[in-house]
Amino acid sequence: FGGYDGTDFLQDLWKFTSGTWTRPTSLVTPGRRAGHVAAWDEVAAQLWIHGGYDGVDLYQDTWRFDSQAAGVHAWSRISSVSGVTGEPSARAKHVGAWDPAGAFWIHGGYNGSGVCNDLWKLQLGTSLWHRVASLGPGRAYHAAAFDGTSSWWIHGGMDESFRAQGDLWRFDTASHTWFQLPQSPAFPAERYNHVASWDGGLWIHGGQQ
């Protein structure tokens, strides 16, 4: 969903399956944006997105696309509730993940004045945002992948001084604890704006230095 084509910010949604691209339609859609995050809820077959940037403003909104619905009801904006710790500020270039336990997580990003180090959890059912007290690395333009159990892996990105990093972190969603992993003898160079995925191990690709 969305992105930037070099001229315009986009708001189209596409799906690739069985060798073919299809474009689902909906009368209600999120605004044009790039730099947002997305996560897939495999059980409910729903796509979640948060934040982003439209060339003028940073977004703070959360949307859900229900692939089992049709037409006007496919996209819905989540009326999230500010918890006792508030809710995430508008931001872009953060990371997001879906927890099979029923929660949408976001971390870091750029909020217009600096790089964030906060970690937030949106609990399904209550639509309540909760800021996790455990402080992690301040990062934007980083890459992350959820391993499907209780670990969220985060690599690289830009720190609060806008320097590219090459470190690897793991966040345990059960204990709410961050762990920084030691560097192995061979490891990827510092980078940002890359991508990551999980397949029994962490894969990363590309980026800028």
Side-chain angles (χ1 to χ4, degrees):
F1 174 80
Y4 182 68
D5 66 3
T7 302
D8 296 315
F9 287 84
L10 309 173
Q11 62 183 149
D12 49 346
L13 176 68
W14 291 85
K15 177 184 179 182
F16 182 77
T17 184
S18 302
T20 303
W21 283 103
T22 57
R23 182 178 177 179
T25 58
S26 177
L27 294 179
V28 178
T29 63
R32 298 174 181 271
R33 68 190 67 199
H36 48 310
V37 297
W40 179 256
D41 175 359
E42 187 172 354
V43 174
Q46 295 173 340
L47 176 70
W48 292 72
I49 70 168
H50 176 271
Y53 176 67
D54 67 0
V56 177
D57 297 313
L58 289 164
Y59 281 109
Q60 189 180 10
D61 51 351
T62 303
W63 290 77
R64 179 184 66 209
F65 179 80
D66 187 348
S67 66
Q68 306 300 312
V72 67
H73 300 299
W75 277 110
S76 57
R77 181 171 180 172
I78 304 302
S79 298
S80 55
V81 180
S82 296
V84 293
T85 53
E87 62 181 319
S89 60
R91 65 189 66 200
K93 297 299 182 180
H94 44 322
V95 291
W98 181 260
D99 184 342
F104 181 37
W105 294 82
I106 67 169
H107 171 261
Y110 179 72
N111 65 6
S113 60
V115 172
C116 306
N117 69 347
D118 50 349
L119 175 67
W120 293 84
K121 174 184 179 182
L122 179 66
Q123 191 65 49
L124 184 65
T126 64
S127 296
L128 183 68
W129 279 109
H130 171 70
R131 180 173 180 173
V132 176
S134 178
L135 291 178
R139 291 299 153 88
Y141 298 87
H142 44 323
F146 197 79
D147 70 3
T149 57
S150 63
S151 291
W152 196 14
W153 298 79
I154 290 176
H155 178 267
M158 301 188 83
D159 65 12
E160 293 97 329
S161 299
F162 296 97
R163 295 175 302 208
Q165 298 294 318
D167 50 355
L168 179 63
W169 292 77
R170 180 176 70 86
F171 177 74
D172 188 308
T173 60
S175 65
H176 288 188
T177 305
W178 284 100
F179 301 93
Q180 184 175 8
L181 278 74
Q183 294 282 27
S184 60
F187 56 89
E190 294 84 357
R191 67 190 65 205
Y192 65 98
N193 241 359
H194 51 317
V195 293
S197 187
W198 183 267
D199 180 22
L202 181 68
W203 293 80
I204 68 168
H205 176 261
Q208 295 174 264
Q209 294 181 316

